[in-house]
PDB file of all heavy atoms in Angstrom:
ATOM      1  N   MET A  11       4.082  13.390  17.568  1.00 49.00           N
ATOM      2  CA  MET A  11       2.909  13.414  16.702  1.00 49.00           C
ATOM      3  C   MET A  11       1.656  13.315  17.574  1.00 49.00           C
ATOM      4  O   MET A  11       1.575  12.473  18.450  1.00 49.00           O
ATOM      5  CB  MET A  11       2.989  12.255  15.718  1.00 49.00           C
ATOM      6  CG  MET A  11       1.847  12.174  14.775  1.00 49.00           C
ATOM      7  SD  MET A  11       2.009  10.688  13.776  1.00 49.00           S
ATOM      8  CE  MET A  11       1.600  11.319  12.220  1.00 49.00           C
ATOM      9  N   ALA A  12       0.718  14.168  17.326  1.00 58.00           N
ATOM     10  CA  ALA A  12      -0.507  14.181  18.116  1.00 58.00           C
ATOM     11  C   ALA A  12      -1.392  12.991  17.745  1.00 58.00           C
ATOM     12  O   ALA A  12      -1.379  12.511  16.618  1.00 58.00           O
ATOM     13  CB  ALA A  12      -1.263  15.482  17.844  1.00 58.00           C
ATOM     14  N   ASN A  13      -2.134  12.536  18.726  1.00 61.00           N
ATOM     15  CA  ASN A  13      -3.076  11.460  18.497  1.00 61.00           C
ATOM     16  C   ASN A  13      -4.311  12.058  17.813  1.00 61.00           C
ATOM     17  O   ASN A  13      -4.910  13.001  18.330  1.00 61.00           O
ATOM     18  CB  ASN A  13      -3.467  10.841  19.826  1.00 61.00           C
ATOM     19  CG  ASN A  13      -3.588   9.345  19.764  1.00 61.00           C
ATOM     20  OD1 ASN A  13      -3.438   8.755  18.705  1.00 61.00           O
ATOM     21  ND2 ASN A  13      -3.846   8.738  20.886  1.00 61.00           N
ATOM     22  N   VAL A  16     -10.390  10.108  13.808  1.00 52.00           N
ATOM     23  CA  VAL A  16     -11.289  10.467  12.718  1.00 52.00           C
ATOM     24  C   VAL A  16     -12.490   9.547  12.747  1.00 52.00           C
ATOM     25  O   VAL A  16     -12.430   8.438  13.260  1.00 52.00           O
ATOM     26  CB  VAL A  16     -10.587  10.353  11.338  1.00 52.00           C
ATOM     27  CG1 VAL A  16      -9.460  11.343  11.249  1.00 52.00           C
ATOM     28  CG2 VAL A  16     -10.101   8.966  11.080  1.00 52.00           C
ATOM     29  N   GLU A  20     -14.823   9.734   7.565  1.00 54.00           N
ATOM     30  CA  GLU A  20     -13.684  10.529   7.086  1.00 54.00           C
ATOM     31  C   GLU A  20     -12.557   9.665   6.551  1.00 54.00           C
ATOM     32  O   GLU A  20     -11.778  10.098   5.732  1.00 54.00           O
ATOM     33  CB  GLU A  20     -13.121  11.369   8.232  1.00 54.00           C
ATOM     34  CG  GLU A  20     -14.047  12.485   8.665  1.00 54.00           C
ATOM     35  CD  GLU A  20     -13.527  13.204   9.890  1.00 54.00           C
ATOM     36  OE1 GLU A  20     -13.115  12.532  10.843  1.00 54.00           O
ATOM     37  OE2 GLU A  20     -13.511  14.428   9.874  1.00 54.00           O
ATOM     38  N   ILE A  40       3.294   6.302  -2.308  1.00 79.00           N
ATOM     39  CA  ILE A  40       3.452   5.063  -1.539  1.00 79.00           C
ATOM     40  C   ILE A  40       2.631   3.948  -2.191  1.00 79.00           C
ATOM     41  O   ILE A  40       3.043   2.795  -2.181  1.00 79.00           O
ATOM     42  CB  ILE A  40       3.067   5.268  -0.052  1.00 79.00           C
ATOM     43  CG1 ILE A  40       3.446   4.053   0.794  1.00 79.00           C
ATOM     44  CG2 ILE A  40       1.598   5.539   0.107  1.00 79.00           C
ATOM     45  CD1 ILE A  40       4.915   3.888   1.054  1.00 79.00           C
ATOM     46  N   THR A  41       1.519   4.308  -2.787  1.00 83.00           N
ATOM     47  CA  THR A  41       0.698   3.306  -3.471  1.00 83.00           C
ATOM     48  C   THR A  41       1.471   2.668  -4.624  1.00 83.00           C
ATOM     49  O   THR A  41       1.459   1.444  -4.782  1.00 83.00           O
ATOM     50  CB  THR A  41      -0.599   3.942  -3.992  1.00 83.00           C
ATOM     51  OG1 THR A  41      -1.247   4.628  -2.930  1.00 83.00           O
ATOM     52  CG2 THR A  41      -1.538   2.919  -4.598  1.00 83.00           C
ATOM     53  N   ARG A  43       4.756   2.587  -4.903  1.00 85.00           N
ATOM     54  CA  ARG A  43       5.889   1.828  -4.345  1.00 85.00           C
ATOM     55  C   ARG A  43       5.433   0.498  -3.789  1.00 85.00           C
ATOM     56  O   ARG A  43       6.111  -0.518  -3.962  1.00 85.00           O
ATOM     57  CB  ARG A  43       6.593   2.668  -3.275  1.00 85.00           C
ATOM     58  CG  ARG A  43       7.386   3.812  -3.917  1.00 85.00           C
ATOM     59  CD  ARG A  43       8.147   4.604  -2.909  1.00 85.00           C
ATOM     60  NE  ARG A  43       7.238   5.563  -2.299  1.00 85.00           N
ATOM     61  CZ  ARG A  43       7.449   6.176  -1.162  1.00 85.00           C
ATOM     62  NH1 ARG A  43       8.530   5.966  -0.471  1.00 85.00           N
ATOM     63  NH2 ARG A  43       6.584   7.055  -0.701  1.00 85.00           N
ATOM     64  N   ASP A  45       2.793  -1.222  -4.750  1.00 90.00           N
ATOM     65  CA  ASP A  45       2.431  -2.053  -5.899  1.00 90.00           C
ATOM     66  C   ASP A  45       3.675  -2.680  -6.513  1.00 90.00           C
ATOM     67  O   ASP A  45       3.694  -3.867  -6.845  1.00 90.00           O
ATOM     68  CB  ASP A  45       1.675  -1.222  -6.935  1.00 90.00           C
ATOM     69  CG  ASP A  45       1.216  -2.064  -8.105  1.00 90.00           C
ATOM     70  OD1 ASP A  45       0.516  -3.072  -7.867  1.00 90.00           O
ATOM     71  OD2 ASP A  45       1.576  -1.727  -9.255  1.00 90.00           O
ATOM     72  N   VAL A  50       7.289  -7.481  -7.233  1.00 92.00           N
ATOM     73  CA  VAL A  50       8.608  -8.125  -7.064  1.00 92.00           C
ATOM     74  C   VAL A  50       8.482  -9.363  -6.190  1.00 92.00           C
ATOM     75  O   VAL A  50       9.030 -10.427  -6.490  1.00 92.00           O
ATOM     76  CB  VAL A  50       9.627  -7.128  -6.456  1.00 92.00           C
ATOM     77  CG1 VAL A  50      10.891  -7.825  -6.013  1.00 92.00           C
ATOM     78  CG2 VAL A  50       9.929  -6.027  -7.446  1.00 92.00           C
ATOM     79  N   ALA A  53       6.881 -12.166  -8.108  1.00 91.00           N
ATOM     80  CA  ALA A  53       7.819 -12.728  -9.076  1.00 91.00           C
ATOM     81  C   ALA A  53       8.836 -13.636  -8.377  1.00 91.00           C
ATOM     82  O   ALA A  53       9.139 -14.730  -8.867  1.00 91.00           O
ATOM     83  CB  ALA A  53       8.534 -11.624  -9.839  1.00 91.00           C
ATOM     84  N   LEU A  54       9.348 -13.203  -7.248  1.00 91.00           N
ATOM     85  CA  LEU A  54      10.298 -14.031  -6.495  1.00 91.00           C
ATOM     86  C   LEU A  54       9.647 -15.324  -6.019  1.00 91.00           C
ATOM     87  O   LEU A  54      10.272 -16.391  -6.057  1.00 91.00           O
ATOM     88  CB  LEU A  54      10.850 -13.252  -5.290  1.00 91.00           C
ATOM     89  CG  LEU A  54      11.809 -12.126  -5.615  1.00 91.00           C
ATOM     90  CD1 LEU A  54      12.125 -11.314  -4.368  1.00 91.00           C
ATOM     91  CD2 LEU A  54      13.093 -12.674  -6.220  1.00 91.00           C
ATOM     92  N   GLN A  58      10.560 -19.376  -7.135  1.00 91.00           N
ATOM     93  CA  GLN A  58      10.836 -20.402  -6.136  1.00 91.00           C
ATOM     94  C   GLN A  58       9.799 -21.520  -6.163  1.00 91.00           C
ATOM     95  O   GLN A  58       9.809 -22.417  -5.328  1.00 91.00           O
ATOM     96  CB  GLN A  58      10.908 -19.788  -4.747  1.00 91.00           C
ATOM     97  CG  GLN A  58      12.059 -18.832  -4.595  1.00 91.00           C
ATOM     98  CD  GLN A  58      12.077 -18.144  -3.244  1.00 91.00           C
ATOM     99  OE1 GLN A  58      11.362 -18.530  -2.332  1.00 91.00           O
ATOM    100  NE2 GLN A  58      12.885 -17.117  -3.121  1.00 91.00           N
ATOM    101  N   GLY A  59       8.891 -21.465  -7.125  1.00 91.00           N
ATOM    102  CA  GLY A  59       7.877 -22.506  -7.270  1.00 91.00           C
ATOM    103  C   GLY A  59       6.682 -22.334  -6.355  1.00 91.00           C
ATOM    104  O   GLY A  59       5.916 -23.276  -6.149  1.00 91.00           O
ATOM    105  N   THR A  64      -2.288 -18.814  -4.217  1.00 84.00           N
ATOM    106  CA  THR A  64      -2.867 -19.906  -3.410  1.00 84.00           C
ATOM    107  C   THR A  64      -2.100 -20.129  -2.111  1.00 84.00           C
ATOM    108  O   THR A  64      -2.521 -20.948  -1.280  1.00 84.00           O
ATOM    109  CB  THR A  64      -2.872 -21.226  -4.204  1.00 84.00           C
ATOM    110  OG1 THR A  64      -1.527 -21.558  -4.562  1.00 84.00           O
ATOM    111  CG2 THR A  64      -3.743 -21.101  -5.438  1.00 84.00           C
TER     112      THR A  64
END
Side-chain angles (χ1 to χ4, degrees):
M11 180 185 223
N13 220 357
V16 296
E20 291 174 314
I40 189 73
T41 307
R43 288 183 278 162
D45 183 55
V50 169
L54 289 172
Q58 295 177 12
T64 60

